[in-house]
Amino acid sequence: NSGEEHGDIPPPEFEEDTSKWPSKAFLWATKFLSSTEVELFQFKYDPASRRVIKPLWFDGEEVGYQARKIYDDDTGPKYITYAKSPPGFTQLNINSPGELVIVEDVISAIKVSKIENSLALLSTNVHPKAWSFITQFDKFYVWLDMDNPKVITNALKLLKKLRIIGEAKLIYTDYSLGIFAYYRFDTFWMYVLRLLINISKNRFCASKYNRRN
């Protein structure tokens, strides 16, 4: 993931009290989660880097944290991840045994965990040690941000591997027309989806070029 860096875990000096956060940091966090969820999942603020800190919990163990850029003048990567192996984030839902939704980021995993077990990859690839967690389940939904051909290719590869150990489907989110909808695809329709996305991206690039000339 080009927007992410990894490193060893430094000694943290973070602000846990959200009332002491800069307003921009608090507004960013509560744009996606409730203030109760921000505290429940122990989000923090790092005054040194001016980033929101998202603790990483993997299969019941705290393995590190992810620092998320929120200021436009921050020239660093979007995410900086400090974690022991495997980097990732999991949340279990006792009301949904056997099913796992695989997403890219921590916030998506928290939101999904309200109805299903969730795993955030923190990228579009699965860390080898994450497979021991994945194999606890036998039904999978892959819900990545299908916003470029590389992600789509990785999602299809992951689906193929998951189908060796259980049932697996793709969830595609459509934000067009200002509405939220999702579709679950089987193999044939995933390839159609990839083709359509590539065609639309090529048309968009051609349109931009024509407008400039």
Side-chain angles (χ1 to χ4, degrees):
N1 190 331
S2 59
E4 182 174 346
E5 287 185 356
H6 294 263
D8 297 328
I9 304 176
E13 295 183 2
F14 303 142
E15 180 56 68
E16 299 183 25
D17 186 349
T18 56
S19 68
K20 297 179 180 178
W21 289 16
S23 58
K24 187 175 181 67
F26 183 75
L27 289 171
W28 179 87
T30 54
K31 177 181 178 181
F32 306 101
L33 302 172
S34 68
S35 57
T36 301
E37 288 172 322
V38 169
E39 295 183 4
L40 177 65
F41 289 95
Q42 302 175 23
F43 279 43
K44 303 174 181 68
Y45 177 74
D46 179 18
S49 67
R50 300 189 306 153
R51 288 172 175 249
V52 172
I53 302 300
K54 299 181 285 185
L56 300 177
W57 294 86
F58 194 94
D59 206 10
E61 178 188 2
E62 187 172 7
V63 297
Y65 62 86
Q66 191 173 64
R68 209 289 189 181
K69 176 169 69 174
I70 58 171
Y71 289 99
D72 294 337
D73 61 354
D74 184 339
T75 59
K78 185 176 181 180
Y79 298 102
I80 301 176
T81 302
Y82 299 94
K84 298 185 291 185
S85 177
F89 181 92
T90 63
Q91 279 294 303
L92 298 179
N93 184 311
I94 59 174
N95 297 316
S96 182
E99 296 190 5
L100 178 68
V101 180
I102 299 174
V103 297
E104 286 187 43
D105 64 274
V106 171
I107 289 177
S108 294
I110 291 173
K111 293 165 75 173
V112 166
S113 69
K114 295 176 183 179
I115 55 173
E116 299 278 8
N117 302 298
S118 62
L119 162 65
L121 300 177
L122 308 186
S123 72
T124 57
N125 296 299
V126 180
H127 191 284
K129 291 188 178 180
W131 282 104
S132 61
F133 176 81
I134 290 173
T135 53
Q136 300 176 45
F137 305 91
D138 55 20
K139 189 172 184 179
F140 308 95
Y141 297 99
V142 178
W143 198 351
L144 306 184
D145 296 332
M146 309 291 278
D147 52 4
N148 66 69
K150 181 180 179 181
V151 175
I152 296 170
T153 298
N154 287 344
L156 295 176
K157 289 179 179 178
L158 175 57
L159 229 62
K160 185 177 181 180
K161 291 181 179 179
L162 292 172
R163 284 180 169 161
I164 296 174
I165 57 177
E167 178 185 348
K169 292 185 177 182
L170 173 73
I171 298 180
Y172 171 64
T173 307
D174 184 3
Y175 292 103
S176 63
L177 303 179
I179 62 173
F180 171 82
Y182 68 86
Y183 310 93
R184 298 181 179 186
F185 290 100
D186 290 314
T187 305
F188 171 76
W189 293 110
M190 287 187 299
Y191 284 100
V192 172
L193 172 65
R194 180 167 63 176
L195 177 63
L196 291 175
I197 290 176
N198 285 335
I199 290 173
S200 66
K201 286 184 178 294
N202 288 336
R203 286 179 176 173
F204 175 73
C205 290
S207 175
K208 285 180 66 177
Y209 176 81
N210 289 334
R211 284 200 301 270
R212 289 176 181 175
N213 294 275

